[in-house]
Amino acid sequence: MSNRDDEYYERDSRRSSRNDDRYRDDRRPSRSNDRRYRDDYDEYDERPSRRSEGSSRSHSSSSSRSRSYDSRSSASRSSSSRPSSSRKSSGSKKKKSNKKAIAILIAEVLIACILVVVAYHVFFKVDVTKVGKVNMNEEKITSSISEQAAANEEMKSYTNIALFGVDSREGALTKNTRSDTIMIASINNETGDIKLCSVYRDTYLNLSNDSYTKCNAAYAEGGPEQAISMLNMNLDMDVEDFVTIGFRGLTDVVDALGGVEIEVTDAEIPHLNSYQQTMATELKLNYTPVTSAGRQTLNGLQATAYCRIRYTAGDDFKRAERQRTVLMACLDKAKGMSYSQLETVANNAFNETYTSLDLSEILDLLKNIANYNVVDHGGFPEESMRATGTIGKKGSCVVAVDLASNVKWLHQFLFNDSNYEVSPDVQKYSDKIKSDTSQYLN
């Protein structure tokens, strides 16, 4: 977190006693450029508005069907009004022809109605028009996957999804915002077992363009496409899909789940409350202070604030662990819900979600949620093979002392592959990182 964030956090704490009456409005926030509410990285303040691709596609499809229907109706009317060339045409034949045209018209109307009903249940019931669906450059993503990773037999048994949590209270989920959370969810396709690995946001890595700095800058520069490429290139991974969620989205998801069970310590309480006061103002939500330690149900705002705490023992490493804890608590709560209840959760999530997954994939994930089980979680770089230091103008960074060794550990951790050998590119990045950082770590 930058110095500006520290200053902001302190200002917010001093302000909180004067602002209690400001946290009572539960309306959705309007866009605001008030810099008092900027947090970690306020230099990334270009916030493009999001467009609903699903909505535009539905509108286009409806318009197309309407034009087709009008064309057929016009043709029918034109045909029925055309004079007959034969004088043998009788009134009864005309009546039969008219009845046939009317029957065809009614059939077309019924089919159109059925299509509308099906479209409603398939698309609008789960509010897919709100999904920030992105079609990424598949060629670029594929090119970021090394030959070793693509050919690795152990990895082929897993589905890897990148999870990004961004500091976005104004709706920008695509880019121009650094990712507070970078996580890889690795799902065993046969057993449903899941392993979660946080990639610490300040880790010094190649951003996928031979520029080396804190890895969360990849999302700010090129959105999820560049962030995924960064993960694949540095870690010898084969990630092709992602889900991004902002503060509002996580808050809505937890609330839709009815809250999550979290163990809160005395040291965390003041920071948790200060963060949720900040977000209550930004998101125009009510907030309820946490007053005691122990295992308890946190609502959406409280759980989101809990994910952001870094001012206790463990610093940002502990914050990443808290983020995994909340994610696992959400999964545990969702596993006990019916499919219709999960649809409600999905409606809340999709409003603040940006993803490469299409509707059928999302629904498949929801249907199989009872089969998923988080069996282990950790962080990258691994604790015994990392260091921290101020790397020149790049600021305070987490450094993989030997990236190649950390990547070997990661493949053992996620895929039980103890014999993995890193790609030549990863070895090159490892040597570069060591060259850039060793003078600052000794």
Side-chain angles (χ1 to χ4, degrees), residues 190-211:
E190 294 183 2
T191 67
D193 288 346
I194 299 174
K195 292 182 181 179
L196 301 174
C197 186
S198 300
V199 178
Y200 300 117
R201 67 176 196 169
D202 290 339
T203 306
Y204 189 86
L205 293 174
N206 185 339
L207 297 189
S208 79
N209 55 6
D210 288 332
S211 172

Side-chain angles (χ1 to χ4, degrees), residues 200-233:
Y200 300 117
R201 67 176 196 169
D202 290 339
T203 306
Y204 189 86
L205 293 174
N206 185 339
L207 297 189
S208 79
N209 55 6
D210 288 332
S211 172
Y212 289 76
T213 188
K214 299 178 183 182
C215 65
N216 63 348
Y219 198 103
E221 290 185 8
E225 192 172 274
Q226 183 171 341
I228 290 174
S229 296
M230 177 272 296
L231 292 174
N232 285 336
M233 290 174 63

Side-chain angles (χ1 to χ4, degrees), residues 216-255:
N216 63 348
Y219 198 103
E221 290 185 8
E225 192 172 274
Q226 183 171 341
I228 290 174
S229 296
M230 177 272 296
L231 292 174
N232 285 336
M233 290 174 63
N234 287 276
L235 310 182
D236 267 353
M237 292 294 294
D238 63 346
V239 178
E240 295 183 0
D241 289 304
F242 79 95
V243 177
T244 297
I245 195 166
F247 289 166
R248 165 70 74 171
L250 180 57
T251 299
D252 289 346
V253 168
V254 174
D255 282 337

Side-chain angles (χ1 to χ4, degrees), residues 15 18 21 48 66 103-104 152 162 169 208 245 335 416 428:
R15 244 187 0 247
R18 301 197 303 269
D21 60 333
S66 176
I104 293 174
N152 185 264
R169 285 146 290 182
S208 79
I245 195 166
K335 289 170 69 174
N416 299 316
K428 180 177 69 175

Side-chain angles (χ1 to χ4, degrees), residues 315-344:
D315 302 316
D316 204 43
F317 304 115
K318 184 64 177 178
R319 174 162 76 165
E321 182 180 330
R322 292 187 185 98
Q323 293 164 355
R324 298 193 299 272
T325 297
V326 169
L327 181 61
M328 290 186 290
C330 287
L331 179 61
D332 286 342
K333 196 69 176 284
K335 289 170 69 174
M337 302 178 75
S338 67
Y339 185 69
S340 61
Q341 289 174 316
L342 289 174
E343 284 185 336
T344 300

Side-chain angles (χ1 to χ4, degrees), residues 1-15 36 38-39 42 311:
M1 189 174 292
S2 65
N3 291 333
R4 284 190 298 276
D5 179 57
D6 295 333
E7 295 168 2
Y8 168 76
Y9 183 83
E10 293 170 1
R11 291 198 304 270
D12 178 67
S13 297
R14 293 194 296 269
R15 244 187 0 247
R36 291 177 301 170
R38 299 291 183 200
D39 202 344
D42 55 5
Y311 294 98

